Amino acid sequence: MNLQDEQGHYLIAGKKITGFTPAEEIIAGKKTVVPFLNQKIATEHGVEFKKKRFYSEYALKDGQLITGQNPFSVRAVAKLLIQALTTNN
């Protein structure tokens, strides 16, 4: 999330992504372990953060970037990856 180009712009800026939500961090007991909340940092870096109900399967693709909301999203991420590799998208 912190990768920047030569001009200092975040590479994820302007992208639609998903990831662990604050609710999922709290439920998983990770809020005190992880030094940041995905949604908060992503939004601060110019991302349109998308999410579904906590611990639901959810993945999305924006250009060549594929993200999954949580561990339950592995299949959805894999499907998007296979689709991307087998088409000209």
Side-chain angles (χ1 to χ4, degrees), residues 1-5 7-14 44-47:
M1 262 195 258
N2 291 319
L3 294 175
Q4 298 175 354
D5 64 16
Q7 290 78 38
H9 301 111
Y10 290 104
L11 296 181
I12 61 171
E44 288 174 1
H45 291 178
V47 164

Side-chain angles (χ1 to χ4, degrees), residues 1 3 5 8 17 20 23-24 26 34 36-38 43 46-47 49 51 70 73 76 82-84 87 89:
M1 262 195 258
L3 294 175
D5 64 16
I17 71 165
F20 235 39
E24 290 167 322
I26 292 166
V34 179
F36 60 87
L37 296 173
N38 286 328
T43 303
V47 164
F49 194 90
K51 62 185 178 180
N70 53 49
S73 303
I82 291 167
Q83 180 183 14
T87 63
N89 293 349

Side-chain angles (χ1 to χ4, degrees), residues 36-85:
F36 60 87
L37 296 173
N38 286 328
Q39 184 175 349
K40 180 180 184 290
I41 297 298
T43 303
E44 288 174 1
H45 291 178
V47 164
E48 185 178 338
F49 194 90
K50 301 287 195 173
K51 62 185 178 180
K52 297 286 182 181
R53 186 177 170 272
F54 58 87
Y55 285 113
S56 296
E57 180 184 58
Y58 181 57
L60 60 89
K61 180 178 178 290
D62 186 346
Q64 293 183 348
L65 182 63
I66 299 171
T67 54
Q69 182 170 322
N70 53 49
F72 298 103
S73 303
V74 173
R75 286 191 174 106
V77 169
K79 287 178 186 177
L80 289 175
L81 177 60
I82 291 167
Q83 180 183 14
L85 293 172

